[in-house]
């Protein structure tokens, strides 16, 4: 192998990293993003590991690789890459990617302020607001989201029996609300979130093993959302989302916020048409809305939208050199 060069734009969305690979990603056939995702994972996964793992990335690193879309109704195809694999959809990744792509001229919108991207989970429409050359806000109209299961008892070592709901917003989320055996986020430092979340995820997966009703390639409990009352008076709720092996989302989590709204609507705690401001573990916020009702297979679901900001922090030309013993990246176990 010769040295490979990746032209990246590094950004963060409300605190969570987004490394946008604008050049150097592997060529993939002109098929849907869902199929591209499978081909990438089968044949090119070293690219993800090299760019996401240490020493070029870290435990919370995530990003995207840009592709032309094979759909006539989409401007851009987006492959989500992160430490744990390739997510079907990622909200903070979308907001960072759209910000970088518009500010750097990587995509030319047919209609100013609007884009449609093709994610592996489906088409996602975008509205963005610019001030001068900079993008101030990106709103994504996310894939249909639904509550998959509610009031599920899990026996979690160290916690005892806890109740969770399982909800889908582009990924499957085990949602934990304050209850007898868990008093809330204030009493849970980040180290505890990292320790307890894999146990909750494993127990939820063993009991529920969800499969998306319309796309069996989307399956499994990948994320755990711990919820609490907000600290900021503008917000309706606060959350900390665990993903991968050691990552806590620093943003309010786009697919997580969609899953949370689907849960709240199904439980009649949020109305269709209602707004929902979601606060992250570091106090950043997404402005979310339940845009409408829909169906996911035979389930009732919602059409969620999520808005937030991102900041481009630099250009990053990354080499992966076969002479480097750590070319493929590493993770501490
Ligand atoms: O914003 O959807 C999201 C997300 C998923 C994992 C980290 N962020």
């Amino acid at each position: 192998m010769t040295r490979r060069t990746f032209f990246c734009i590094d950004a963060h969305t409300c605190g969570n990293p987004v490394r946008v690979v604008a050049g150097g990603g592997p060529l993939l056939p002109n098929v849907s993003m869902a199929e591209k995702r499978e081909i990438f994972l089968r044949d090119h996964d070293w690219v993800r590991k090299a760019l996401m793992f240490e020493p070029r990335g870290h435990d919370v690193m995530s990003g995207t690789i840009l592709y032309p879309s094979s759909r006539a109704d989409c401007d851009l195809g987006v492959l989500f890459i992160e430490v744990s694999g390739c997510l079907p959809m990622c909200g903070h990744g979308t907001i960072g990617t759209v910000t970088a792509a518009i500010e750097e001229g990587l995509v030319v919108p047919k209609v100013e302020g609007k884009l449609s991207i093709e994610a592996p989970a489906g088409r996602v429409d975008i509205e963005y607001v610019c001030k001068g050359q900079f993008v101030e806000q990106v709103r994504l109209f996310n894939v249909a989201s639904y509550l998959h299961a509610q009031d599920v008892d899990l026996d979690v070592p160290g916690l005892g029996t806890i109740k969770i709901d399982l909800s889908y917003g582009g990924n499957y989320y085990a949602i934990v609300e304050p209850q007898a055996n868990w008093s809330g986020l204030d009493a849970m430092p980040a180290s505890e979130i990292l320790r307890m979340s894999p146990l909750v995820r494993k127990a939820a997966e063993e009991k529920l093993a969800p499969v998306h009703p319309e796309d069996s390639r989307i399956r499994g409990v990948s994320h755990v959302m711990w919820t609490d009352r907000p600290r900021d008076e503008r917000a309706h709720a606060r959350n900390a989302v665990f993903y991968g092996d050691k990552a806590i989302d620093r943003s309010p989590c786009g697919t997580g916020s969609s899953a949370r709204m689907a849960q709240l609507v199904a439980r009649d705690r949020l109305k269709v048409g209602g707004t929902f401001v979601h606060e992250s573990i570091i106090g950043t916020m997404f402005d979310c809305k339940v845009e409408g009702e829909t169906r996911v297979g035979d389930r009732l679901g919602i059409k969620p939208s999520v808005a937030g900001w991102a900041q481009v922090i630099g250009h990053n030309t990354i080499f992966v050199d076969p002479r480097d013993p750590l070319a493929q990246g590493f993770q501490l176990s």
Side-chain angles (χ1 to χ4, degrees):
M1 183 180 129
T2 53
R3 188 171 85 174
R4 293 281 297 264
T5 305
F6 297 91
F7 300 96
C8 305
I9 301 162
D10 280 358
H12 71 87
T13 299
C14 290
N16 219 43
V18 187
R19 173 164 288 163
V20 181
V21 182
L27 286 178
L28 297 176
N30 186 29
V31 291
S32 72
M33 283 312 298
E35 290 166 282
K36 283 195 184 83
R37 173 177 176 247
E38 303 224 308
I39 296 167
F40 177 89
L41 282 168
R42 192 188 63 212
D43 299 338
H44 306 281
D45 203 32
W46 69 267
V47 172
R48 176 183 69 81
K49 292 178 180 158
L51 296 179
M52 299 289 107
F53 290 179
E54 293 185 61
R56 296 168 203 83
H58 50 74
D59 285 337
V60 190
M61 183 53 93
S62 63
T64 56
I65 307 181
L66 305 185
Y67 286 99
S69 172
S70 60
R71 290 176 61 142
D73 60 354
C74 289
D75 300 280
L76 192 63
V78 177
L79 181 74
F80 297 102
I81 52 175
E82 54 143 57
V83 280
S84 68
C86 291
L87 296 178
M89 174 59 195
C90 178
H92 94 273
T94 300
I95 292 169
T97 299
V98 169
T99 301
I102 294 294
E103 291 187 0
E104 303 284 322
L106 301 177
V107 61
V108 181
K110 291 183 199 82
V111 180
E112 189 54 43
K114 286 182 192 283
L115 277 179
S116 293
I117 66 161
E118 183 194 358
R123 175 179 151 169
V124 175
D125 291 329
I126 306 286
E127 287 177 7
Y128 62 90
V129 180
C130 285
K131 191 168 187 187
Q133 69 195 92
F134 298 111
V135 176
E136 289 217 307
Q137 193 198 57
V138 175
R139 178 172 295 276
L140 62 103
F141 295 83
N142 198 10
V143 294
S145 304
Y146 77 101
L147 179 63
H148 184 89
Q150 69 185 74
D151 288 329
V152 180
D153 283 332
L154 298 181
D155 291 322
V156 179
L159 282 180
T161 303
I162 58 163
K163 270 199 195 313
I164 63 129
D165 285 353
L166 188 76
S167 195
Y168 176 79
N171 302 290
Y172 281 103
Y173 285 80
I175 301 179
V176 191
E177 298 191 318
Q179 53 192 278
N181 281 342
W182 182 64
S183 65
L185 275 173
D186 287 337
M188 199 181 205
S191 56
E192 274 299 284
I193 297 176
L194 294 174
R195 198 171 70 82
M196 297 312 302
S197 299
L199 304 176
V200 173
R201 180 167 62 190
K202 183 166 179 281
E205 177 61 23
E206 277 169 10
K207 200 150 205 181
L208 296 164
V211 179
H212 192 279
E214 294 172 351
D215 184 350
S216 60
R217 289 171 293 203
I218 302 175
R219 51 176 61 229
V221 183
S222 48
H223 294 59
V224 178
M225 176 185 283
W226 304 87
T227 69
D228 207 339
R229 283 204 299 262
R231 288 199 169 126
D232 193 302
E233 60 186 22
R234 287 167 297 168
H236 297 100
R238 179 163 44 118
N239 82 103
V241 158
F242 172 86
Y243 61 103
D245 293 329
K246 292 181 196 154
I248 301 173
D249 198 336
R250 276 67 171 148
S251 87
C253 194
T255 51
S257 298
S258 303
R260 178 79 159 135
M261 287 191 285
Q263 175 217 21
L264 294 175
V265 169
R267 284 185 166 278
D268 211 14
R269 286 158 55 190
L270 180 64
K271 296 280 170 234
V272 175
T275 55
F276 179 69
V277 178
H278 216 186
E279 185 181 340
S280 75
I281 190 167
I282 61 164
T284 50
M285 284 181 277
F286 281 167
D287 281 304
C288 312
K289 188 171 176 193
V290 184
E291 300 284 346
E293 283 177 304
T294 188
R295 298 198 82 84
V296 182
D298 59 1
R299 313 284 195 118
L300 266 184
I302 63 156
K303 294 178 182 171
S305 78
V306 175
W309 56 267
Q311 186 73 41
V312 171
I313 54 179
H315 289 176
N316 196 348
T317 303
I318 298 180
F319 302 132
V320 180
D321 190 322
R323 293 170 307 148
D324 180 350
L326 303 176
Q328 308 282 318
F330 65 90
Q331 282 184 301
L332 297 186
S333 52

